[in-house]
Amino acid sequence: MSAKSPPGVFDILPEDPSEKWKSSYLWQFVETAIRKIAKEYCLKEIRTPVFERTELFLRGVGETTDIVTKEMYTFVDKGDRSITLRPEGTAPAMRAFIEHALANTSSLNKLFYIGPMFRYERAQAGRYRQHHQFGVEIIGVAEPEQDAEVISLLYNLYTRLGLRQLGVHVNSIGDAESRTAFRTALQNYLKDHFNDLSSDSQTRFDKNPLRILDSKDPRDIKIVAGAPSILDFLNPASKLHFETVLKQLDLLGIPYQVNPKLVRGLDYYNQTVFEIVAGELGAQNSVGGGGRYDGLLKTLGGPDLPAFGFGTGIERIIQTMINQGVDLPNPDVPALFIIPLGDTAKEQALSLAQNLRNNGIATLVELSGKKLNKAMQLANTSGARYTAVIGDDEIKSGTVKIKNMHTGASLDTTFEKLPTLGELC
Ligand code: HAM
């Protein structure tokens, strides 16, 4: 057998020097920032299984979407059920919301999740078959200010993490009435260009013509440039909603551009949709995106509540940070590296280390019995700030010398004082 992962997935290692974004300390750093901002916006975490009944995504994401037609990992389990690895987090969060009647438990349902999603996409830079999303889903608020607040949350997360050249693209795809009017106008325009459209767009012409608007195929882009704008078809209520979102974004100081071609690839959206891109990744690869999905809960058999949310790929956040030369944290290192000489010292070293760790000091003990100079080399490569060599003399006297690995200076102390020593804390 070959010790090689399948295409399109990756390991996150303690440190990956060749592809730094695959280093777990960077993931922890970003996830900590995410949890912090989630707390500040008073979001509550939800964790759903990585697989669901397939029908959830057929109904939730939409039967004509790329995700459902091309990208799902679907299999029949031993109980003869069709099961799908979740390609996204919104439908599962709504399923859990309905199943546990969360509408009855709180009128404020502001949820977030962090977890892996699975899509059988063509493997290429920035697109993976297992990717990881931070998602936010706010249920129960129909007001346009809610849309702006959630967009600003994502924008603020990115700026806190140091991302630059952010492009916040916003659009309104209106309510069902506005979209019906637009759909007819769009089809009327596109039918004269039908033969020049990509084959994907030809398939979408009847079932989902709005998706042709944000096709990435150069042939479609040319044709779509002259297409009518959805913004001219918004009915008064949809227009007012969108204008209020933009006004609130202005008030929050979030720079944005209205992009009438932005549609997004999932069927549940209505009214506001948005995506945030960051310079280097290019317009094809948004770092995050989302929108309003007022009808989804009802479609899935739940209460008729409005909702707004987004998902952002954690790999894309970290890759952008690296590409943009953001100041990154360093990997964690031991505060103290203990080198015991002999078996008795080893026993003592472990007790001492336990004491240190219980005082919050990151301690590593060299247990393999290496000779002193080899052990010192290990201490060096571990990046430890201090080392302590413990032999018979130290055990007898209860004293120990700790050596600063950066300056080479030493300091005498006792086993007793070590766990509270300022230098190590
Ligand atoms: P989405 O745009 O399909 O939306 O995905 C959200 C984000 O996940 C993307 O902006 C991107 O950063 C990341 N992403 C998606 N697919 C991949 C991939 N194959 N490889 C790497 N990163 C990827 C949703 O999934 C919606 N559920 C978002 C949402 C939540 N809308 C409302 N609530």
Side-chain angles (χ1 to χ4, degrees), residues 179-193:
R179 274 198 305 284
T180 307
F182 177 63
R183 195 186 146 108
T184 311
L186 182 63
Q187 280 174 325
N188 277 340
Y189 167 80
L190 290 174
K191 73 176 186 308
D192 296 336
H193 304 276

Side-chain angles (χ1 to χ4, degrees), residues 164-235:
R164 287 173 289 105
Q165 294 173 267
L166 293 172
V168 182
H169 293 247
V170 282
N171 190 25
S172 171
I173 56 168
D175 58 7
E177 184 188 67
S178 311
R179 274 198 305 284
T180 307
F182 177 63
R183 195 186 146 108
T184 311
L186 182 63
Q187 280 174 325
N188 277 340
Y189 167 80
L190 290 174
K191 73 176 186 308
D192 296 336
H193 304 276
F194 187 84
N195 292 334
D196 299 323
L197 288 170
S198 67
S199 61
D200 266 357
S201 289
Q202 289 181 347
T203 319
R204 285 178 182 140
F205 182 84
D206 283 318
K207 292 187 201 145
N208 201 349
L210 266 68
R211 285 289 287 141
I212 300 176
L213 288 180
D214 64 6
S215 160
K216 305 291 184 264
D217 190 299
R219 285 167 297 176
D220 298 335
I221 291 175
K222 241 204 216 145
I223 296 169
V224 154
S229 164
I230 181 134
L231 297 176
D232 296 329
F233 290 80
L234 297 182
N235 60 14

Side-chain angles (χ1 to χ4, degrees), residues 67 71 87-91 113 117-119 121 124 126-137 158 264-266 268-269 274-276 281 285-293 308-317:
I67 291 182
E71 296 170 359
E88 61 101 48
T90 310
Y113 47 83
M117 308 291 161
F118 306 86
R119 298 184 189 178
E121 298 216 50
Q124 51 179 298
R127 280 187 191 278
Y128 305 95
R129 293 183 177 165
Q130 174 176 333
H131 73 278
H132 302 77
Q133 275 188 31
F134 162 45
V136 167
E137 315 291 357
Y158 293 158
R264 293 196 37 80
L266 303 99
Y268 46 63
Y269 292 117
F274 80 102
E275 275 182 6
I276 304 187
L281 274 182
N285 284 338
S286 63
V287 196
R292 182 161 280 286
Y293 52 97
F308 191 96
F310 68 71
T312 176
I314 299 179
E315 27 294 269
R316 290 198 189 165
I317 296 179

Side-chain angles (χ1 to χ4, degrees), residues 66-366:
D66 281 355
I67 291 182
V68 167
T69 55
K70 302 180 192 163
E71 296 170 359
M72 295 208 300
Y73 279 91
T74 298
F75 59 95
V76 176
D77 75 2
K78 289 189 168 45
D80 223 20
R81 296 172 200 92
S82 181
I83 294 292
T84 293
L85 300 186
R86 62 176 183 201
E88 61 101 48
T90 310
M94 295 309 111
R95 194 266 311 137
F97 182 87
I98 298 167
E99 184 170 341
H100 304 286
L102 296 189
N104 301 338
T105 59
S106 163
S107 57
L108 278 179
N109 274 293
K110 296 176 180 271
L111 308 173
F112 82 97
Y113 47 83
I114 300 175
M117 308 291 161
F118 306 86
R119 298 184 189 178
Y120 192 83
E121 298 216 50
R122 205 151 49 83
Q124 51 179 298
R127 280 187 191 278
Y128 305 95
R129 293 183 177 165
Q130 174 176 333
H131 73 278
H132 302 77
Q133 275 188 31
F134 162 45
V136 167
E137 315 291 357
I138 309 287
I139 301 147
V141 187
E143 302 306 306
E145 289 80 4
Q146 183 64 81
D147 310 17
E149 184 190 29
V150 176
I151 296 171
S152 68
L153 185 171
L154 187 57
Y155 182 84
N156 288 334
L157 172 70
Y158 293 158
T159 48
R160 281 184 194 190
L161 286 169
L163 300 193
R164 287 173 289 105
Q165 294 173 267
L166 293 172
V168 182
H169 293 247
V170 282
N171 190 25
S172 171
I173 56 168
D175 58 7
E177 184 188 67
S178 311
R179 274 198 305 284
T180 307
F182 177 63
R183 195 186 146 108
T184 311
L186 182 63
Q187 280 174 325
N188 277 340
Y189 167 80
L190 290 174
K191 73 176 186 308
D192 296 336
H193 304 276
F194 187 84
N195 292 334
D196 299 323
L197 288 170
S198 67
S199 61
D200 266 357
S201 289
Q202 289 181 347
T203 319
R204 285 178 182 140
F205 182 84
D206 283 318
K207 292 187 201 145
N208 201 349
L210 266 68
R211 285 289 287 141
I212 300 176
L213 288 180
D214 64 6
S215 160
K216 305 291 184 264
D217 190 299
R219 285 167 297 176
D220 298 335
I221 291 175
K222 241 204 216 145
I223 296 169
V224 154
S229 164
I230 181 134
L231 297 176
D232 296 329
F233 290 80
L234 297 182
N235 60 14
S238 300
K239 197 160 183 268
L240 179 64
H241 186 100
F242 191 47
E243 283 169 359
T244 314
V245 173
L246 300 183
K247 186 171 148 222
Q248 187 63 56
L249 286 174
D250 284 331
L251 286 170
L252 287 167
I254 309 298
Y256 60 82
Q257 56 202 87
V258 174
N259 176 358
K261 302 275 186 312
L262 179 67
V263 174
R264 293 196 37 80
L266 303 99
D267 276 358
Y268 46 63
Y269 292 117
N270 45 63
Q271 304 289 9
T272 318
V273 287
F274 80 102
E275 275 182 6
I276 304 187
V277 297
E280 279 78 356
L281 274 182
Q284 298 219 358
N285 284 338
S286 63
V287 196
R292 182 161 280 286
Y293 52 97
D294 289 349
L296 180 59
L297 270 169
K298 191 160 175 239
T299 307
L300 297 176
D304 190 7
L305 289 173
F308 191 96
F310 68 71
T312 176
I314 299 179
E315 27 294 269
R316 290 198 189 165
I317 296 179
I318 303 175
Q319 287 171 352
T320 310
M321 290 168 77
I322 291 170
N323 290 340
Q324 295 191 336
V326 168
D327 251 350
L328 297 170
N330 292 316
D332 288 337
V333 292
L336 184 65
F337 190 105
I338 303 179
I339 303 171
L341 301 176
D343 288 342
T344 319
K346 214 186 263 180
E347 290 165 12
Q348 291 287 323
L350 275 184
S351 303
L352 180 62
Q354 180 165 269
N355 213 345
L356 285 157
R357 291 163 181 156
N358 286 341
N359 280 276
I361 297 168
T363 310
L364 214 143
V365 185
E366 205 301 291

